[in-house]
Structure formats: structure tokens, C-alpha cells
Amino acid sequence: MTIAQTKPYQKRKIIIFSDFDGTIFLQDTGHVLVDNLGCGAAYRQKLEEQFKTGERTFREISDDMWGSLTIPFGDGFDIMEKTLELDPGFREFHQYCVAEGFPFNVISAGLKPVLQRTLDLFLGEEEASSIEIVANDLQSSSGGTPWKPVWRDNTDSGHDKGESVQKARAKAQSECEPDEMPLIIFIGDGVSDLAAAREADVLFARRGLRLEEYCIEHGIPYTPFDNFSQIKKEVEAISLEDQKKTGGVGKPVRYNPRANMWRRISSKEAVPTLMAKATPSQDEKMTLWPDYFSQPKQPQPETITE
């Protein structure tokens, strides 16, 4: 009797995207630089107010913020090393991704040279070289002239994170078998991450910050996390579940989980969109201003907790 041979199961392609400021690092890299070596915290807060009132766009105030720096690139990283805190579980998680062959990508509204130098500083250049960074660029300066961001696109945020994830999914899909779909994971902390997060199949939101609150408010599926060690355990479980066979044909039990539900929820009512108008709505402000709206909600004075 001939026993039918089945095709050996190939692990499905898992691609991981993560926000940078407030997610991989607990502070904002740009704010550390400009608060100490540029316009200062007080002026930066005035810029935030100008954006929140609709007086100026995100790109306009960001140009001002980065333009307040006139130091040669690289001069401020001693302050970064003393001030920034790397998530305590990130390095182990990233090494796990490398070992498993899961591409790890940073997707950010920040400046790629700043993010790359920061990763080189904290991880070492060899380890950091395996992380793809999708962010805005910087017109190089040798010092004495204002820093000038080079934006990725013409949107108000300067970088459509959702489009970046869409392109990555399409590329991964072209490399998969016809009956397979890549699994996209996104990790973030603020509502500004929603443009990318709504393209993901699995979403991790840092506990207690604005992205988690928004997900709760709108019924968006997500997994909370306090550090990347917890994400590692979850991704390990997802990967293991994904390798289980059903019916002996080698297909994973978990086939593109959450995607349909997430995309149904990601309607115009549920997810803020970028719209060109003089006074942006509250949701549009949250989409464009990462730091302010990544902060936890403050309890009302009359709230009583037990």
C-alpha cells in the first residue's frame, strides 16, 4: 500500500513592525535632543499648543522643532545615552526575531538617521543593522545651520505609516505560496500608530497609554503589554499555533487571525484619518501628534478610586 506523501509544513512568514519613541524606547528621541540642545521644552510645548488649536500643521511645527537644532549631527548622542531607556525586554525579543527569521521593522514619524544612531548606540552596529527603519530623512548638516527634515510624502504627518505597512504586506505576499498569507504584527503606544496598526493582523498596545485606551473605546482587538518580554511570549505562542496542521494538509490553524475583524472595525468612524482642513478634529490631532496623545489619560478630580 502506498502512503500518500504530504508537503512538509513551511513556517508562515511573520513580519513585525514597531513604533520607536515610547515603544522601543520609553522617551521621545527628538524631544530629548531639542529640549536639551535646541528650542527647549517650553517652546516645544508652545508648538504643541499651536497644533492642538489648529493654528499650524504637524509638519510646520516639526520643521520648527527640528530646525531649532544647529549642532553637527551626532553631537547630542551623549545626552541620549544618559537619558533614553530601552525597553528592558526589547533586546531579547529582537534577538528572538533574528533567530526565527522574522523581519523586524521600525516605522516612525521621526528622523531615520537619529533612530539609526540611537539603535547603534544601545544595541551595537552589528545587531542594529538587522533592523529596517522606515522613517523620514534628514538633510545633513555639519553644524551651524538648522536641521531640515526630508519628509517621506506630502501628507500632513510627512509619513503615511499605513501605506508603508501596505507595501511591506504586498512584498511579503509576492514571496509566499499562492495559498498562504503573511502575518503582520504591529507594536505601538499612541493613537498616532493607528494608521499602521489598522493594517496589521495582530496588534500590541503598550498598557495604560492612549493607543490601548482608543482600542478599548472603539472595540478594536489588541493585546496589552508592559514590556517586550511579554510580546515575545505571545509571538512564540502565535508562531507555535501557526505551525499546527489541520486535516494533514499542512495549513496552519490560525490563518490570518483578526484581519477581517480589524479591517471591518477600521472604518472612518473607528479610525482617525488625515484630512486637509483648517481646524483638525480631536481624532485627527491624535493621529498627527504622537507624544501628547500617547500619554495616559489623567483622572478627573471628582473621580474616586478604591
Side-chain angles (χ1 to χ4, degrees):
M1 182 174 65
T2 302
I3 299 175
Q5 299 294 316
T6 59
K7 179 182 176 182
Y9 175 69
Q10 297 296 318
K11 188 160 51 180
R12 183 154 57 124
K13 192 174 185 67
I14 295 178
I15 305 174
I16 298 171
F17 286 89
S18 177
D19 177 48
F20 196 86
D21 298 310
T23 303
I24 295 175
F25 285 88
L26 305 186
Q27 297 81 23
D28 187 291
T29 49
H31 294 175
V32 171
L33 282 174
V34 301
D35 288 358
N36 288 278
L37 300 170
C39 62
Y43 184 74
R44 179 175 59 79
Q45 290 165 4
K46 289 182 179 180
L47 294 177
E48 293 180 14
E49 290 299 323
Q50 289 175 351
F51 172 74
K52 286 184 285 184
T53 61
E55 181 181 345
R56 304 179 71 197
T57 68
F58 175 81
R59 283 178 60 158
E60 288 172 340
I61 62 175
S62 295
D63 279 331
D64 270 10
M65 185 185 79
W66 290 113
S68 70
L69 293 169
T70 58
I71 58 172
F73 181 78
D75 277 13
F77 287 89
D78 55 340
I79 294 175
M80 302 278 265
E81 187 173 15
K82 295 175 183 176
T83 306
L84 292 176
E85 297 174 77
L86 181 69
D87 180 285
F90 175 76
R91 190 163 197 167
E92 181 184 4
F93 176 71
H94 173 246
Q95 291 172 347
Y96 161 76
C97 292
V98 172
E100 293 294 318
F102 301 155
F104 186 93
N105 308 268
V106 164
I107 184 165
S108 173
L111 303 183
K112 182 175 180 178
V114 173
L115 308 186
Q116 185 67 68
R117 180 68 68 90
T118 302
L119 288 175
D120 291 346
L121 183 65
F122 280 82
L123 301 182
E125 292 185 18
E126 182 176 354
E127 184 174 345
S129 66
S130 65
I131 299 176
E132 181 70 24
I133 299 176
V134 185
N136 303 300
D137 211 335
L138 170 66
Q139 183 174 301
S140 61
S141 171
S142 58
T145 58
W147 285 25
K148 183 175 176 57
V150 179
W151 302 104
R152 285 184 62 86
D153 54 45
N154 292 324
T155 61
D156 284 346
S157 64
H159 178 194
D160 185 338
K161 295 182 180 182
E163 183 179 359
S164 293
V165 177
Q166 288 174 6
K167 290 180 179 178
R169 181 188 288 279
K171 182 177 183 296
Q173 183 69 67
S174 69
E175 298 168 352
C176 289
E177 295 294 329
D179 61 343
E180 293 178 333
M181 294 181 68
L183 181 72
I184 304 296
I185 294 174
F186 186 83
I187 306 163
D189 70 305
V191 177
S192 63
D193 295 322
L194 271 172
R198 70 186 182 196
E199 301 296 334
D201 302 310
V202 177
L203 171 63
F204 291 94
R206 187 173 284 281
R207 195 187 307 273
L209 297 185
R210 205 52 195 99
L211 179 57
E212 180 186 39
E213 291 175 349
Y214 196 89
C215 289
I216 293 171
E217 290 166 7
H218 295 275
I220 297 171
Y222 77 101
T223 298
F225 76 96
D226 298 300
N227 56 65
F228 273 80
S229 296
Q230 296 170 341
I231 297 175
K232 178 175 178 288
K233 291 179 181 178
E234 292 290 336
V235 175
E236 285 175 333
I238 290 170
S239 179
L240 180 62
E241 183 182 350
D242 213 42
Q243 294 178 53
K244 293 179 181 178
K245 300 179 182 180
T246 58
V249 297
K251 287 187 178 180
V253 172
R254 191 168 181 150
Y255 193 72
N256 206 26
R258 305 187 186 181
N260 291 336
M261 180 184 296
W262 173 250
R263 290 181 185 118
R264 284 199 302 269
I265 292 171
S266 297
S267 63
K268 291 182 180 179
E269 290 78 18
V271 179
T273 55
L274 306 183
M275 294 161 40
K277 60 183 182 182
T279 305
S281 69
Q282 181 79 347
D283 277 350
E284 291 162 347
K285 293 173 186 175
M286 289 191 291
T287 302
L288 288 169
W289 188 251
D291 181 69
Y292 179 80
F293 290 104
S294 290
Q295 303 305 314
K297 278 186 176 178
Q298 298 300 316
Q300 298 300 317
E302 65 273 14
T303 300
I304 298 175
T305 58
E306 297 181 352

